[in-house]
Amino acid sequence: MSNYGRQLSEEFSKFPEISGDLEFRLHRNRQKNIQLVNGQLMSNQKSESSGLSSRAIDQGLYGFAAQPEWSFANAEKVLKQAQENLNILKSTGQGTPFRLPPSSAVVQATPLTKSKEFTETELIEKLKSFDQKILALGPEIKSRRVMVREQSFEKEVWTGLGGHGQFNYVRAHIYFVLTAEGKNGPVEVMKIFGGRGFVEDIFPTEEKMESTLQEAYKNLKEKMEGVYSKPGKHTVILDPKMAGILAHEAIGHTTEADLVKGGSVAGRYLGKEVASPLVSLVDFAHSYEGKECPVPVYFDDECMEASDTVIIKDGMLLNFMNSRETAVEFDQPATGHARAWAYNDEPLIRMRNTAILPGESTLEEMIASVDEGYYLMDHSNGQADSTSEFMFGVTMGYEIKNGKLGKALLDTTISGVAFDMLKTVSMVSKDMSWVDSGTCGKKQPMYVGMGGPAMKCQVTLGGRS
Amino acid sequence: MNLNDVANEALSLVKNEGFENAQVRVSKNEVQELELNETKVNLCRTNGGFSVSIKVVKDHKQFEVSGNNWTDASKKILIEDLKKGWEASSEDEAYGILESSDKKSFQDTSKPMEMEKALGKIMEFSQTTSAKYPKVKIRNLPLKGIQEETLFKNSHGMELSQKESYWSYFTMFSGQDGDKVSSFNYVGFQTQNLPEDLLNSPGLEHVLCLAEREPHAEAHTEEIKGDVVLSPYLVQDFLGFVLGQMSTGALVQGTSLFKDKLGQRVMSDKISLTSHPMAEEFATKAPFSSEGVLLEEGDLIRNGELKRFLINLYGSNKLDLPLSKVLATHLKMNRGEKTLDEMIQGINKGLLVMRFSGGSPSANGDFSGVAKNSFLIENGKISRPVKEVMIAGNILDLFKNVVDLSREAVNDGSSETPWIHTKI
């Protein structure tokens, strides 16, 4: 535990000399997984993956090499191999002259400490006690699962141009899933506790546990009697918990510069109005209104200092998210988006904390303003597209009739074309809710933060007529 | 690093800590990768990999650790974590280590990873594709040459090893015509040898042909009901939910929709699904499971009937069911009599769905989502591309309502799947 916050280089025997446009990275990921099924411990595992890598860069070409063991011999090996790999590519004549911005940020990580320490036994006992509270909720619960996932990520990066950065990030989540038999077959409700920190830091208080359990049980009973949403385009109120995934899937991905190069329609809209003036969207690097975001990133794996990227301001598309290379290609700043998941992964353009900014309405007046539509509260997975068409699963929601909430919905999916849908945004709430359990998938996984307020807009729902 | 030395040392270390019942899985690999991004191969990568996983069972308590280093320091941490985790674990008589002393070695013919040749193949793919399919934009194509070695040992004398090398690649692309862009699509493959022509990968040209038409897709908001033809890639996606119902996890949880269905019809009688872990026509092989079960060829579904559950050692002990030597790996779905064209000719109005982007299916199998890269079928022909098409249904019903399976099938290197004509 005490290692989280130290420089990884303290555990490294000897450091090689580096110069020129190349990166050298020490990297360690750890994960703890526990799963209780119907009170029984089904899975209990710990894993660690660490290693070192080098990336040599020239003419828009990249030679990369990685090895799992931190040793001076392996460091020399990857530095040599990365250069050789770069030379293979250069020999094809595909390179083009490129002057990349200097990767020379020097950033120290904030040490992380636990607020308290659970022994392994204490943690299992606490989870079993929590499971018993679920069991006591009611006879409708036919199956229950409690899962813990704690992940830590540590990196230390050097560049041949003088950059040096350290990064520590730990997050933990407790998921629980309740299953009951509904009128249309089995239904499930999942809730999550957690966020940045170790499992000890995020373990819920009795009060929080009780209120969340009661909410889950209420939702489960409502879903047992739930109805299918009507297929087609509808006016919806997206809860603040949903705004984050909208920001991430619908807009964020389409404005990643590598996807813009790959044909994303956002490439056509730079400097143009793409949304209602009520919509502003920012990918925050590390802080929002003076507080750290769920995934604070102070530098990226190219050693570029991280700063906020304003993507949409008052409905106008202003910026893409860039690596060093795409920053040159699009003549925009490189603001620290190039991040790698594991020691043997290359940095890719990734979001950090993507959020739609709050407006002035309240959730209550937004729901009251809808004659017929849906209030959508919880989401599952999502996906973006080069056309800006997005989708994400909805696992909890309600009908809205005459400004009031009606029956609960069975699971459904919403979709829309982001740059059309954003123009239908007619109300934005004052709230700001962050979601931090997400793992984005784009060749590699990546931990991301997502946030936003409640929004009134029009989307297409799946369902049954 | 010698895998046998690591496995023996790991078993010895845990034995010294009082764990007589243990298993160790240790593997190493070397991956060489080239990645085409748009029209340029701009990444060349060499990755070394190693992993060791140790599981112990004692006094009906179990714990498992894994890591990717085997230094003195990392061994110490792994063993300490193992002791602490085991101590905290709760008792369950179903925990166990397979009581088998099988000794077998599986080794394919080692092939050199000819990266310079591979580089030429990718560049040729890029040039040929842009000439032949000018309205397709290749976003990327990572091609990996993989050499892997795995050793599995346990305290009962079991010793299973596998050494194989293969190529793995996928390509992501979209249709682009002027400023019109289609949804992206992707396909992936594994092959034993470096393909002579990457463009000649199973079904790839068909998908690229369709992608050329997709930039002009029109929004289709009318509800889709009735006939749909699902691509092999999509059939595999939906099969994932079905296989989940046959798994130990769903059966132990009591949530499996198949829990009382063994020996009963759960799909159309047109469908058979079999596992072929050592099939010659697949690029990779799966001779043994993650807990050391020597895998066999066998039916999962035969003429629509559920033939077995996919029971691991824990599930076998917990549910008093036989341990399954047939798992959901290297699956082949049977083919039908009609060609894809003939299937489509029989449809008056329907939808050809190439890819699906939807929310996770509900516990009862209900799904909804966007039918991506899709085409309307009208009067027996693929008429026009459509976009923004939301479809909904139930996955189990999809497989019950099958009208036909195609004569063609896509072998992606570890599975073989036909096109399916069904109804939603």
Side-chain angles (χ1 to χ4, degrees):
Chain A
M1 185 272 274
S2 57
N3 286 344
Y4 296 102
R6 282 169 43 185
Q7 295 181 37
L8 297 183
S9 52
E10 287 178 27
E11 299 176 39
F12 189 60
S13 58
K14 188 179 171 188
F15 191 71
E17 291 289 321
I18 57 170
S19 61
D21 200 352
L22 61 83
E23 297 149 6
F24 178 77
R25 171 159 42 101
L26 296 177
H27 198 137
R28 175 163 60 202
N29 296 353
R30 286 175 170 148
Q31 185 155 321
K32 177 193 287 186
N33 288 306
I34 300 171
Q35 181 172 212
L36 293 179
V37 174
N38 297 333
Q40 183 60 48
L41 187 65
M42 275 277 280
S43 169
N44 189 10
Q45 296 169 322
K46 264 187 179 179
S47 63
E48 176 175 321
S49 168
S50 62
L52 47 78
S53 67
S54 175
R55 188 168 74 155
I57 305 160
D58 195 17
Q59 301 176 12
L61 305 171
Y62 298 86
F64 188 97
Q67 288 292 328
E69 195 178 299
W70 292 353
S71 66
F72 184 65
N74 273 347
E76 288 201 313
K77 186 175 176 180
V78 298
L79 286 162
K80 184 167 176 270
Q81 184 77 61
Q83 191 60 53
E84 286 172 3
N85 286 344
L86 174 64
N87 291 341
I88 290 173
L89 295 179
K90 285 168 74 172
S91 69
T92 63
Q94 295 181 103
T96 45
F98 237 100
R99 188 174 173 80
L100 298 176
S103 54
S104 54
V106 177
V107 181
Q108 279 200 316
T110 312
L112 299 174
T113 53
K114 289 183 184 181
S115 55
K116 50 188 173 289
E117 179 97 35
F118 295 161
T119 64
E120 303 280 345
T121 307
E122 280 172 339
L123 177 57
I124 301 281
E125 288 307 315
K126 281 177 181 292
L127 294 171
K128 285 188 168 178
S129 167
F130 177 59
D131 176 75
Q132 286 301 305
K133 289 180 193 294
I134 298 175
L135 184 63
L137 284 171
E140 298 88 349
I141 297 168
K142 300 297 181 202
S143 173
R144 57 198 197 278
R145 273 181 291 155
V146 179
M147 294 158 282
V148 172
R149 186 178 68 176
E150 182 184 274
Q151 296 171 298
S152 71
F153 307 87
E154 301 164 90
K155 301 178 198 179
E156 190 161 0
V157 185
W158 293 261
T159 70
L161 303 175
H164 178 206
Q166 303 157 19
F167 176 83
N168 300 307
Y169 174 65
V170 182
R171 67 177 183 176
H173 293 90
I174 299 171
Y175 304 74
F176 65 97
V177 181
L178 314 181
T179 309
E181 193 64 26
K183 63 181 185 183
N184 289 297
V187 291
E188 280 185 351
V189 167
M190 182 175 82
K191 300 285 177 189
I192 307 173
F193 303 106
R196 191 173 170 216
F198 297 90
V199 68
E200 288 90 340
D201 303 316
I202 61 90
F203 208 90
T205 60
E206 287 291 324
E207 192 181 341
K208 172 77 176 165
M209 199 183 284
E210 190 57 31
S211 66
T212 310
L213 282 172
Q214 290 303 330
E215 184 192 355
Y217 185 47
K218 173 177 169 283
N219 288 169
L220 187 72
K221 287 194 289 186
E222 289 168 334
K223 278 182 83 170
M224 289 167 67
E225 301 298 319
V227 296
Y228 288 105
S229 51
K230 289 181 189 162
K233 193 170 269 190
H234 297 279
T235 299
V236 299
I237 305 297
L238 299 178
D239 186 83
K241 292 197 291 288
M242 304 286 279
I245 194 167
L246 183 80
H248 180 96
E249 297 292 354
I251 311 151
H253 276 302
T254 58
T255 56
E256 291 169 330
D258 49 348
L259 300 196
V260 174
K261 279 177 68 183
S264 162
V265 290
R268 301 208 306 266
Y269 297 141
L270 195 65
K272 294 182 180 167
E273 188 177 299
V274 293
S276 149
L278 296 174
V279 177
S280 291
L281 185 143
V282 180
D283 187 68
F284 293 99
H286 45 73
S287 308
Y288 170 70
E289 291 197 329
K291 288 185 183 169
E292 278 197 326
C293 296
V295 182
V297 174
Y298 289 89
F299 79 107
D300 71 4
D301 296 338
E302 294 185 326
C303 261
M304 300 303 292
E305 192 163 352
S307 58
D308 299 344
T309 305
V310 178
I311 298 169
I312 296 176
K313 185 168 171 49
D314 303 330
M316 302 286 285
L317 180 65
L318 297 184
N319 284 295
F320 302 138
M321 289 174 268
N322 288 292
S323 62
R324 289 173 72 206
E325 180 181 323
T326 64
V328 174
E329 291 174 324
F330 288 105
D331 193 23
Q332 293 178 349
T335 48
H337 291 277
R339 299 196 286 147
W341 171 260
Y343 76 92
N344 51 3
D345 284 327
E346 78 280 24
L348 298 177
I349 296 175
R350 307 308 293 254
M351 287 174 256
R352 292 111 16 134
N353 304 279
T354 319
I356 293 170
L357 301 187
E360 296 183 346
S361 302
T362 65
L363 180 59
E364 293 71 25
E365 65 194 30
M366 290 165 72
I367 292 171
S369 74
V370 178
D371 288 336
E372 185 163 353
Y374 296 100
Y375 169 48
L376 307 177
M377 291 175 59
D378 288 332
H379 65 81
S380 56
N381 57 317
Q383 194 176 55
D385 202 338
S386 40
T387 57
S388 91
E389 186 175 32
F390 64 91
M391 80 80 203
F392 45 92
V394 177
T395 55
M396 196 65 222
Y398 296 90
E399 296 174 323
I400 304 177
K401 291 194 169 166
N402 301 317
K404 292 192 165 50
L405 297 186
K407 290 180 180 168
L409 298 181
L410 294 168
D411 293 351
T412 187
T413 302
I414 65 171
S415 73
V417 174
F419 294 131
D420 295 339
M421 179 279 296
L422 289 173
K423 289 174 183 159
T424 71
V425 174
S426 54
M427 295 175 89
V428 177
S429 82
K430 299 172 184 172
D431 313 281
M432 183 68 173
S433 172
W434 288 100
V435 175
D436 50 23
S437 57
T439 301
C440 174
K442 179 183 156 186
K443 194 178 178 192
Q444 309 157 19
M446 185 51 68
Y447 35 93
V448 291
M450 308 184 289
M455 299 173 72
K456 181 180 177 183
C457 57
Q458 292 198 325
V459 296
T460 300
L461 272 79
R464 308 269 178 98
S465 55
Chain B
M1 202 177 300
N2 183 297
L3 298 191
N4 199 43
D5 292 347
V6 174
N8 287 340
E9 189 181 5
L11 285 173
S12 170
L13 285 171
V14 297
K15 191 174 180 182
N16 291 342
E17 297 293 341
F19 296 109
E20 300 277 350
N21 202 16
Q23 68 178 45
V24 178
R25 186 184 174 92
V26 54
S27 65
K28 65 179 179 183
N29 65 43
E30 180 161 314
V31 179
Q32 295 193 304
E33 179 184 355
L34 293 161
E35 182 166 340
L36 173 74
N37 275 288
E38 299 172 73
T39 56
K40 188 162 77 176
V41 182
N42 66 353
L43 175 67
C44 178
R45 183 201 333 236
T46 308
N47 278 346
F50 171 82
S51 73
V52 56
S53 167
I54 310 169
K55 182 166 126 180
V56 295
V57 177
K58 181 182 168 187
D59 301 337
H60 305 304
K61 298 196 324 187
Q62 169 181 295
F63 195 70
E64 185 168 1
V65 289
S66 62
N68 74 333
N69 277 278
W70 195 246
T71 60
D72 287 345
S74 62
K75 288 175 213 170
K76 198 174 164 191
I77 291 169
L78 282 174
I79 299 300
E80 278 305 307
D81 282 348
L82 200 59
K83 282 159 57 183
K84 281 186 201 163
W86 173 82
E87 185 64 43
S89 179
S90 52
E91 290 183 24
D92 188 336
E93 293 194 355
Y95 292 142
I97 301 290
L98 198 65
E99 291 186 14
S100 159
S101 53
D102 287 328
K103 288 184 173 56
K104 282 204 170 183
S105 179
F106 303 87
Q107 189 163 341
D108 73 358
T109 318
S110 186
K111 298 171 284 287
M113 296 285 124
E114 299 166 298
M115 294 316 285
E116 286 185 16
K117 196 172 169 191
L119 182 57
K121 296 290 177 196
I122 299 181
M123 292 171 76
E124 185 184 309
F125 169 83
S126 176
Q127 287 157 10
T128 313
T129 309
S130 60
K132 200 168 175 184
Y133 302 101
K135 291 178 186 168
V136 169
K137 181 160 187 167
I138 301 292
R139 187 190 287 179
N140 66 340
L141 186 150
L143 171 72
K144 293 179 184 178
I146 300 169
Q147 291 179 312
E148 281 178 341
E149 196 178 339
T150 302
L151 175 65
F152 186 98
K153 280 194 161 192
N154 72 16
S155 311
H156 305 291
M158 180 189 282
E159 190 173 328
L160 303 174
S161 65
Q162 184 186 15
K163 198 170 180 181
E164 65 178 349
S165 56
Y166 57 95
W167 295 84
S168 175
Y169 58 101
F170 77 91
T171 181
M172 185 175 273
F173 50 86
S174 53
Q176 194 160 6
D177 191 8
D179 62 356
K180 290 190 179 297
V181 182
S182 78
S183 290
F184 69 79
N185 201 351
Y186 54 87
V187 287
F189 306 94
Q190 290 172 328
T191 56
Q192 285 183 332
N193 297 303
L194 180 65
E196 274 305 308
D197 180 1
L198 290 165
L199 187 56
N200 197 29
S201 302
L204 177 56
E205 287 212 64
H206 182 224
V207 185
L208 295 178
C209 264
L210 291 173
E212 283 227 302
R213 296 173 62 185
E214 291 173 28
H216 298 284
E218 290 174 5
H220 186 86
T221 51
E222 192 181 318
E223 190 180 4
I224 298 289
K225 283 274 179 200
D227 294 290
V228 291
V229 175
L230 309 181
S231 73
Y233 321 102
L234 182 48
V235 172
Q236 286 175 24
D237 285 352
F238 282 137
L239 264 183
F241 177 84
V242 176
L243 297 170
Q245 306 308 310
M246 300 160 71
S247 71
T248 293
L251 289 161
V252 170
Q253 286 167 41
T255 55
S256 168
L257 299 172
F258 288 169
K259 60 186 170 193
D260 305 316
K261 305 283 187 191
L262 195 62
Q264 295 181 32
R265 184 162 294 168
V266 294
M267 292 185 177
S268 157
D269 60 6
K270 293 186 169 68
I271 296 181
S272 294
L273 187 67
T274 49
S275 174
H276 300 263
M278 300 301 287
E280 266 308 304
E281 60 267 40
F282 288 146
T284 60
K285 308 287 183 282
F288 50 88
S289 74
S290 60
E291 49 190 9
V293 177
L294 284 167
L295 297 182
E296 296 175 359
E297 185 175 316
D299 290 335
L300 277 66
I301 305 283
R302 171 60 55 185
N303 300 328
E305 188 181 302
L306 180 63
K307 300 303 286 184
R308 54 169 38 91
F309 292 128
L310 307 169
I311 301 296
N312 62 16
L313 184 61
Y314 177 82
S316 176
N317 294 336
K318 189 81 180 172
L319 303 167
D320 197 20
L321 289 169
L323 179 69
S324 183
K325 294 183 177 178
V326 176
L327 293 184
T329 185
H330 295 66
L331 297 178
K332 282 190 195 178
M333 186 177 278
N334 62 305
R335 304 175 187 214
E337 299 292 321
K338 293 181 180 174
T339 65
L340 173 63
D341 283 347
E342 286 166 351
M343 276 193 340
I344 289 170
Q345 280 164 21
I347 297 171
N348 187 40
K349 188 176 180 187
L351 189 72
L352 173 68
V353 190
M354 298 300 293
R355 183 168 74 86
F356 177 72
S357 176
S360 301
S362 303
N364 67 352
D366 282 349
F367 70 91
S368 60
V370 186
K372 296 278 190 178
N373 313 99
S374 295
F375 289 78
L376 280 185
I377 299 171
E378 291 172 309
N379 303 318
K381 288 185 177 159
I382 296 174
S383 61
R384 56 198 160 93
V386 284
K387 62 182 181 182
E388 298 166 44
V389 187
M390 187 70 98
I391 59 172
N394 182 282
I395 293 175
L396 299 188
D397 290 344
L398 270 184
F399 288 105
K400 282 180 187 161
N401 297 340
V402 164
V403 179
D404 271 318
L405 297 98
S406 70
R407 196 188 301 165
E408 306 94 329
V410 170
N411 174 353
D412 64 10
S414 60
S415 67
E416 185 181 285
T417 321
W419 299 73
I420 281 183
H421 171 194
T422 184
K423 290 177 184 286
I424 56 172

